[in-house]
Every structure is written in structure tokens, then in C-alpha cells.
């Protein structure tokens, strides 16, 4: 079966344990390695053999500097939203380009529910440096 974005979306939201997580992480990794031009080139430059990566702990991380200087985005879908880091360092703000806000929302909502339960049971207080001044965080 080929790796498609729809297959990945379904798999991500059906993880039930570490074995499932590893299988899905490897699918996502291979999809990203194929469809994300920046990540693909990075893997080539570090000599990563994608087919030989067998566990999520072996997946190379893309350096944060790339998110500050390049458009790191997978596939050809239009970008719906750009989130930026708070900019608390002098090295510039990193950017997170999101092509599907619904998947983004589902991911953090389901993640919260899974680990903590109903958000209605909590009061969340957060200190976000420069949030109003910087925006887009």
C-alpha cells in the first residue's frame, strides 16, 4: 500500500500503544522524506538511508534554524496558517506552516483529551512573552 496523506491522517488518530506509534511514526517519516523538499534534501546531505530507519527513535530531526530560514512544508496544498515562535531569542522567529488547520486542531484536542481528559475540567493560565506584540504565535 502506498503512503498517502489520507492514510496517515487515519492512522495517526487510531494509535493505541507504542507499537502503533512506531508504525505510524515511520509512515509519517517516509511520507515527509518523500514529499517535503527541505527534509528530503537534509536527509540526503546527512546520508540518511530512509528505508533503513526502523524505529521512531532513529528518525533525524530537522534543525530549528531551517524553520527560520526556509519554507518547511510538505506536499502542494496551500498554506492555511503560519504560526511563528515567540521570538524570545535574537536569532529570529521560526515559522510553522500549516496546510490543514482541522488536522492541526484535531491533533492537539485529541492529544489533550487522551492524556488529561476533558479540557472543561481545567483552568489554564499561561504567560506568553511578547504574545500581543509579536502575534502569530
Amino acid at each position: 500500500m502506498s503512503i498517502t496523506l489520507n492514510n496517515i491522517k487515519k492512522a495517526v488518530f487510531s494509535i493505541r500503544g507504542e507499537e502503533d506509534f512506531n508504525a505510524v511514526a515511520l509512515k509519517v517519516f517516509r511520507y515527509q522524506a518523500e514529499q517535503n523538499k527541505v527534509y528530503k534534501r537534509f536527509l540526503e546531505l546527512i546520508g540518511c538511508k530512509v528505508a533503513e530507519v526502523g524505529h521512531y527513535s532513529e528518525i533525524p530531526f530537522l534543525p530549528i534554524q531551517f524553520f527560520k530560514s526556509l519554507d518547511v512544508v510538505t506536499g502542494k496544498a496551500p498554506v492555511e496558517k503560519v504560526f511563528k515562535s515567540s521570538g524570545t531569542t535574537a536569532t529570529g522567529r521560526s515559522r510553522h506552516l500549516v496546510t490543514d488547520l482541522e488536522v492541526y486542531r484535531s491533533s492537539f484536542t485529541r492529544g489533550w483529551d487522551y492524556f488529561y481528559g476533558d479540557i472543561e475540567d481545567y483552568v489554564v493560565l499561561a504567560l506568553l512573552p511578547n504574545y500581543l506584540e509579536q502575534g502569530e504565535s
Side-chain angles (χ1 to χ4, degrees), residues 67 71-74 77-85 93-105 108 131 134-137:
F67 293 90
D71 286 342
V72 181
V73 65
T74 301
V79 173
E80 288 185 30
K81 180 74 177 169
V82 177
F83 292 104
K84 294 183 179 179
S85 65
R93 296 172 72 188
S94 58
R95 296 172 301 122
H96 177 57
L97 285 62
V98 178
T99 59
D100 190 332
L101 279 171
E102 188 50 44
V103 169
Y104 194 82
R105 284 184 193 102
F108 67 72
Y131 179 73
Q134 295 285 17
E136 301 172 312
S137 291

Side-chain angles (χ1 to χ4, degrees), residues 12-130:
V12 164
F13 295 118
S14 64
I15 294 172
R16 296 288 177 251
E18 187 165 353
E19 189 175 315
D20 286 350
F21 179 82
N22 188 61
V24 172
L26 292 173
K27 285 180 187 175
V28 170
F29 165 65
R30 291 187 177 104
Y31 181 80
Q32 295 283 347
E34 180 183 303
Q35 300 293 323
N36 186 304
K37 292 176 186 177
V38 172
Y39 192 51
K40 182 176 189 170
R41 183 67 177 134
F42 171 73
L43 295 173
E44 290 168 356
L45 289 171
I46 65 170
C48 177
K49 294 179 174 60
V50 173
E52 293 179 10
V53 174
H55 192 265
Y56 67 84
S57 63
E58 301 168 4
I59 296 173
F61 292 97
L62 196 59
I64 191 67
Q65 186 59 39
F66 287 33
F67 293 90
K68 294 178 180 184
S69 59
L70 301 168
D71 286 342
V72 181
V73 65
T74 301
K76 295 178 179 154
V79 173
E80 288 185 30
K81 180 74 177 169
V82 177
F83 292 104
K84 294 183 179 179
S85 65
S86 61
T88 55
T89 66
T91 60
R93 296 172 72 188
S94 58
R95 296 172 301 122
H96 177 57
L97 285 62
V98 178
T99 59
D100 190 332
L101 279 171
E102 188 50 44
V103 169
Y104 194 82
R105 284 184 193 102
S106 255
S107 177
F108 67 72
T109 302
R110 289 181 183 199
W112 178 278
D113 290 346
Y114 179 82
F115 287 104
Y116 304 108
D118 189 349
I119 187 67
E120 296 295 323
D121 295 336
Y122 291 85
V123 173
V124 178
L125 304 173
L127 176 61
L128 304 171
N130 301 321

